[in-house]
């Protein structure tokens, strides 16, 4: 079995705009890139919002050099960007946005959720792009719950949705620049699942809620995560309660990471160019 190299939790959260109370479970901004190709994961909620007259969220802001993946568990997010794409991300839906050479976007609660209020819960994952694809054209994949294959695991173990990559011969709908698997897993209490990520992939087990044991040695209570070795075979996860997890496995991008706020490049000089491009309007208009 793969070795658990490190674990982390996020006991304290912060607000992104006025609509997203998040906890950063891991982040490239702390100076390491151990989870490559995954840069950062923010877990938002669960949080109760009262009805409001004006949508809460984050106004126009830039990104460059990576991708954002938004998974909505409860509530609704409305997105718009400088390519003219956008829409509402509803419960179970996923938005996979490629910032590439530069994009402007905004994220708010949807009009319907704003009026009704309710429980809000989501994840935003940042996925790095390798050097040759940091200048890719901005893109937008709107993936509905109905488009995501869901596999009922045998013996009432639980249920797994294949967002990206492949599981047991079933392929997910997300298109990625480098090989990776993103699996949304519900594990039932008292059950054990054995997963077999590709050898050489980085593996991150993200426990959003519930309590699990990884490889019979490491206990995780949500929200928390474990970073595993690139080699070593299987990952065995036992649920001591019902648990909600994300399984992230990807081919490492072993390149330098230079980061400044919403920009992720390979060098400081490229960061300065990104700032200049944004200020000069090269990311478009929104």
């Amino acid at each position: 079995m793969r070795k658990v190299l490190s674990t982390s939790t996020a006991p304290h959260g912060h607000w992104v705009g006025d609509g997203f109370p998040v906890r950063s479970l891991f982040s490239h901004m702390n100076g390491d890139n151990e989870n490559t190709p995954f840069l950062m994961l923010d877990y938002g909620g669960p949080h109760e919002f009262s009805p409001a007259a004006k949508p809460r969220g984050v106004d126009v802001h830039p990104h460059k050099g990576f991708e954002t993946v938004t998974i909505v568990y409860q509530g609704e997010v409305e997105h718009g960007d400088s390519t003219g794409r956008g829409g509402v991300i509803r419960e179970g839906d996923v938005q996979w946005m490629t910032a590439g050479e530069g994009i402007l976007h905004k994220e708010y609660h949807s009009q319907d959720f704003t009026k009704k209020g309710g429980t809000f819960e989501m994840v935003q994952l940042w996925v790095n792009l390798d050097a040759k694809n940091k200048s890719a054209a901005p893109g937008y994949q709107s993936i509905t719950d109905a488009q995501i294959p869901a596999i009922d695991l045998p013996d009432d173990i639980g249920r797994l949705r294949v967002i990206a990559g492949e599981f047991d011969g079933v392929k997910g709908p997300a298109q990625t620049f480098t090989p990776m698997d993103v699996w949304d897993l519900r594990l039932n209490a008292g059950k054990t699942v054995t997963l077999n990520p590709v050898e050489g992939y980085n593996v991150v087990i993200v426990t959003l809620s519930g309590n699990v044991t990884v490889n019979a040695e490491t206990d995780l209570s949500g929200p928390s995560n474990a970073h595993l070795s690139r080699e070593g075979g299987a990952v065995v996860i036992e649920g001591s309660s019902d648990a909600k997890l994300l399984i992230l496995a990807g081919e490492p991008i072993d390149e330098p990471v230079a980061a400044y706020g919403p920009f992720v490049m390979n060098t400081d000089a490229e960061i300065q160019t990104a700032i200049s491009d944004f200020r000069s309007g090269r990311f478009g208009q929104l």
Side-chain angles (χ1 to χ4, degrees), residues 6 10 23 47 51 65 67 114 137 171 184 215 222 224 252 257-258:
S6 64
R23 286 167 280 184
H47 186 86
E67 301 183 289
T114 298
K171 294 183 178 180
D184 174 15
N215 290 348
S224 62
V257 171

Side-chain angles (χ1 to χ4, degrees), residues 264-279:
V264 181
M265 305 302 293
N266 294 110
T267 67
D268 290 339
E270 290 172 339
I271 290 291
Q272 294 306 313
T273 299
I275 294 171
S276 176
D277 287 348
F278 164 59
R279 289 175 175 170

Side-chain angles (χ1 to χ4, degrees), residues 83-261:
T83 72
R85 300 179 179 95
V88 176
I89 315 161
R90 297 180 170 85
E91 293 183 13
D93 294 351
V94 175
Q95 172 204 273
W96 199 294
M97 186 188 78
T98 302
E101 64 182 357
I103 197 169
L104 303 177
H105 82 141
K106 57 184 178 180
E107 301 161 290
Y108 283 92
H109 296 175
S110 72
Q111 293 287 343
D112 285 347
F113 182 78
T114 298
K115 292 176 183 177
K116 296 175 183 177
T119 306
F120 186 85
E121 183 182 13
M122 61 165 283
V123 158
Q124 187 166 96
L125 170 70
W126 287 17
V127 176
N128 202 9
L129 293 171
D130 55 1
K132 68 178 181 293
N133 287 309
K134 286 188 180 294
S135 58
Y140 182 83
Q141 299 176 65
S142 178
I143 304 169
T144 66
D145 182 32
Q147 293 174 308
I148 300 171
I151 301 166
D152 289 320
L153 302 174
D155 302 320
D156 196 34
I157 290 173
R159 191 167 183 259
L160 185 148
R161 297 197 310 156
V162 187
I163 295 171
E166 184 175 338
F167 178 85
D168 199 22
V170 177
K171 294 183 178 180
Q175 301 296 311
T176 66
F177 282 85
T178 57
M180 68 187 66
D181 297 311
V182 178
W183 302 332
D184 174 15
L185 173 64
R186 302 294 191 281
L187 182 62
N188 292 329
K191 298 294 182 176
T192 299
V193 63
T194 299
L195 306 173
N196 293 283
V198 176
E199 288 292 293
Y201 277 17
N202 261 330
V203 178
V204 186
I205 307 299
V206 180
T207 305
L208 298 175
S209 64
N211 302 284
V212 302
T213 301
V214 179
N215 290 348
E217 64 175 4
T218 302
D219 295 329
L220 295 176
S221 296
S224 62
N225 72 95
H227 170 63
L228 279 65
S229 60
R230 297 183 183 184
E231 309 288 346
V235 179
V236 179
I237 306 173
E238 180 181 359
S240 52
S241 69
D242 290 347
K244 180 190 300 180
L245 305 102
L246 272 178
I247 313 300
L248 309 175
E251 182 177 273
I253 300 174
D254 289 326
E255 299 175 349
V257 171
Y260 179 80

